[in-house]
Every structure is written in C-alpha cells, then in structure tokens.
Amino acid sequence: MYASDVAVCARPAQEPAVPTARHRTTRDALSARPIAIAGDTTLICSAGGTDPELLARFHDGGLPVGADLRAFDSEAGFTARVAEAMADGLLLSMEYPQPTALCPDERAVKTARLVGYLNNKASISTFVDPRFQARRSVVSRADLADAAPAEKSWVLKAATDDAHGASLDVYLHQAGDPIALPAFADLLGEFVIEEYLHIRRNWGIQLYVGPDAVARLLAVTEQRVDGSGIYVGGLFGDVTPLPADLLAECLAITQRAADVGYRGMCSLDCAQTGDGRLVMLDLNFRITGGSIPLLALESARPDALAGYAESVKLAVAAPMAQLLADLTPALAAGGLLVTSGHDTTRTDNPVRQSTVQLLVFGDDPEDVTARRTALEAKTG
C-alpha cells in the first residue's frame, strides 16, 4: 500500500480555538491507531500506543505489529520525529494536513493542501457524480440562520480544509426541535447544510491508492451511528451487499482523487435511504476507524470475514494494564481481538485516559452484538 521509503503519520495538527488538552488526547490516539497493522511500514506514533503489554496483546492476536515505530511523548518529540524521518530520506504520508514548515510539500507523499481539499465536506460535489449527491449547499456564518430554520430538518457539517480529527462533529436538526448549534459553528466561516436523510443502510467503502496511482477496493463494511449521527463502530464480514452502481461510483471517486495526486487509504461513507435513493455522505481520504479493524481481520483472522464482526472502543480513566486485565477473561474466551490502544500516561499529556479498540467476531450475529454490548456496558 505504501512504498518502502514512506513514513506514515496519522496525527492531526492542533486546531486553533480547540482546548489543547482535549484535542491532544484525540490526536495522539489517532496517531497510534495503525500500530497493530503497520508491519514493516515506518510509523510516527504516540508513545501512548507502545505500552509493552498492549503490544504483546497485538502479537498474541497474530497482528503484523509495526517493526519501525518512531514514538514521541510530547509536542517537541513529535516535531523531532518528523525531522528525523526526513533526515533518513523518507517521504511522509501525512493522513491529516500538517503545516508546510513541519513537512514541506517536496517531502510529502500527498500535499497538505490536497489532503485538506479532499476531506473538506464542501468539496464532495467535485468528485461525486450528481446522481449520488444529497441536496446540500455551502453557506457563510452570516447566512447560517436563514439557511437553517428551526421548522425544517437539516444536517450541519464543517466546511474547512483543516481536517479536524474528531474535534468537530456533524450536527443533526429535526424539524420543530430547538436549535442548539455545536461549538464548531463559532469556529468556522463556512458550513455545509445538507438535507436530512432517513437512512436505511449505511456503508463504509474501504479503498486505497498505491504507488501505481490505481484505486483498489479493500472491502465493504457497514456503520453503526448514534442518535446524533456520529460513527460509533463498524460491522465487518457478512454485510449487506452494496449495489453495483454505487460500488462503481466509489471506485471512480477514488480514482479521481488518485488522478490529482492522492495516495493512501480512504473510506467513503454512503447510504441507501428509506425511499431507495443511493447517496454519498462523506469522503474520508485518510486512515479511518473502519480501516484498522478491517486490516486487522484480514491479517490475523481472514476466516472471520465470512462471519460477523463488530468494532467497539472502550475508554477509562485508569492505567492500560488495568483495562487489559479486565479484558483478559473475554480475550481468553475467544472471538475478540485487540486492534489498537492508547495510554496518555506514557506521554506528557495531563489527561489520564486509556483506550482500546476491539473487534468482536463470530458466526452468530446476535451473539456478536450481545458480546459487544456487554463490553460497552463494562465501561459505560
């Protein structure tokens, strides 16, 4: 997927006006997410993901754990690791836009400007055939009140080239409810207002563009979202088949991005509505929450892709050792794989939090869901 002279970095840049401590936790955790499946690819990652016991769990699960981990535990350490990789002659695949002062365009597999543009929710019409586009418009902050009235249903999304790494969310408004705009409405100058869709099926199409500039399909997954429309986990394996014309459009979209210089992984969110429409919801040109579990299954338990699997994230204000100890009985019982994790105490981050991403798999979908629900209940 990446050439041998490439170092991957999946850490977003710090956003202005976003609390540093909270955003730091997310940024560091995202940088560590690919560790379990990195193999021989050089990875610039937070030390929070290199806990020895966590790495041992990856190895126990048969995962291709990164052999060249360039770990950092501070902001200064991150900058030093990037400089070190460039000094070693490596090109950098930044999954989120980084300042050119940190990573000059000539040292990047894909430029920050390109990555930002591809992930801007206002750019979707550039790459998606009109047949698969939801009704949407780009509005300024000054026009937001008129474009988003309380008596209508709509979806508000951020329109920015600064890929945010989960610090900005999607806001759903149902007609007649009070409007309570999210924090990002105060941070940005432009927004996407999109029609409120009644979704029947929601897929995540996992693809990649290799050094040969050809778009290829990895797999089709389905998505679980919460009541506010935020992604909370994926369904893998025996998922609902994707209509052929929608799959063809996903490959075409990715190839269009490849033709303008994109290289790496991407996940395209699409859906079938209650009235049968097929629509593209979001274009995520980066490593995503659906990418890592899928690659973990393909690497360690390819047989599980014929069955059912669900991903789940657990987060606790406790050491990683305690979180893993609590999971030991479930891991010993089988049908469970640790795919990523992060412990803030291994960095200079003042926030105390340990997280793990897990895959629950098996032949019975009801049993898989029940075990996933039980794991979530343990940590609230």
Side-chain angles (χ1 to χ4, degrees):
M1 189 172 302
Y2 298 99
S4 59
D5 62 343
V6 170
V8 173
C9 178
R11 191 190 200 215
Q14 172 62 33
E15 290 247 2
V18 176
T20 300
R22 177 169 64 84
H23 198 199
R24 167 77 185 278
T25 305
T26 301
R27 294 164 64 222
D28 284 354
L30 289 176
S31 78
R33 196 159 54 180
I35 287 176
I37 49 90
D40 294 332
T41 301
T42 299
L43 186 68
I44 298 174
C45 59
S46 170
T50 61
D51 177 88
E53 190 170 345
L54 177 63
L55 296 182
R57 300 284 180 152
F58 295 155
H59 284 292
D60 291 345
L63 291 167
V65 183
D68 185 5
L69 302 178
R70 309 288 181 96
F72 59 86
D73 61 7
S74 64
E75 293 295 337
F78 170 64
T79 301
R81 284 305 201 182
V82 172
E84 174 189 273
M86 291 190 292
D88 288 344
L90 297 172
L91 292 173
L92 295 180
S93 181
M94 292 293 189
E95 300 300 295
Y96 296 86
Q98 296 286 347
T100 54
L102 177 70
C103 178
D105 287 348
E106 62 269 19
R107 302 307 305 272
V109 172
K110 55 231 179 185
T111 67
R113 182 177 181 182
L114 175 62
V115 173
Y117 178 73
L118 289 173
N119 287 289
N120 190 325
K121 298 184 187 303
S123 302
I124 190 169
S125 60
T126 307
F127 294 93
V128 178
D129 187 288
R131 294 178 301 148
F132 300 100
Q133 291 186 32
R135 290 184 290 273
R136 54 172 62 88
S137 59
V138 180
V139 300
S140 67
R141 183 185 299 175
D143 296 331
L144 185 56
D146 291 336
E151 65 271 16
K152 293 184 178 180
S153 296
W154 39 266
V155 181
L156 182 69
K157 297 181 178 180
T160 173
D161 282 1
D162 297 325
H164 49 75
S167 66
L168 302 177
D169 294 327
V170 173
Y171 175 72
L172 307 182
H173 173 74
Q174 295 192 39
D177 287 350
I179 296 178
L181 292 177
F184 72 77
D186 295 325
L187 304 178
L188 303 175
E190 282 192 331
F191 309 89
V192 173
I193 297 289
E194 192 175 284
E195 64 177 312
Y196 192 107
L197 297 169
H198 297 280
I199 295 175
R200 181 182 178 190
R201 297 287 184 190
N202 190 190
W203 294 280
I205 317 307
Q206 312 296 331
L207 308 102
Y208 74 98
V209 179
D212 61 359
V214 176
R216 292 182 174 85
L217 175 71
L218 283 170
V220 176
T221 64
E222 288 189 74
Q223 300 193 59
R224 294 188 295 112
V225 296
D226 64 16
S228 60
I230 305 303
Y231 176 85
V232 293
L235 307 177
F236 305 82
D238 189 15
V239 301
T240 305
L242 187 72
D245 53 346
L246 188 54
L247 177 57
E249 176 61 12
C250 289
L251 279 163
I253 291 168
T254 308
Q255 188 59 54
R256 290 171 196 136
D259 292 343
V260 295
Y262 185 76
R263 303 291 182 269
M265 300 181 64
C266 64
S267 177
L268 309 186
D269 297 347
C270 51
Q272 182 182 49
T273 64
D275 59 3
R277 291 171 59 198
L278 299 175
V279 295
M280 298 300 308
L281 301 177
D282 279 314
L283 311 181
N284 302 299
F285 282 92
R286 57 181 180 268
I287 294 172
T288 68
S291 312
I292 303 302
L294 172 65
L295 293 174
L297 271 185
E298 288 189 335
S299 298
R301 290 300 306 269
D303 55 306
L305 289 170
Y308 303 89
E310 298 187 19
S311 64
V312 58
K313 184 175 78 171
L314 306 181
V316 297
M320 176 63 70
Q322 180 179 326
L323 180 53
L324 292 174
D326 291 343
L327 290 170
T328 296
L331 288 166
L336 186 64
L337 187 66
V338 181
T339 60
S340 68
H342 188 265
D343 183 351
T344 59
T345 63
R346 293 179 61 81
T347 74
D348 66 353
N349 189 343
V351 175
R352 184 182 181 88
Q353 180 173 292
S354 295
T355 61
V356 292
Q357 189 85 27
L358 305 163
L359 260 178
V360 185
F361 59 90
D363 297 325
D364 182 349
E366 292 186 1
D367 173 66
V368 168
T369 298
R371 288 189 287 123
R372 187 261 301 163
T373 303
L375 287 168
E376 289 177 323
K378 283 188 175 182
T379 58

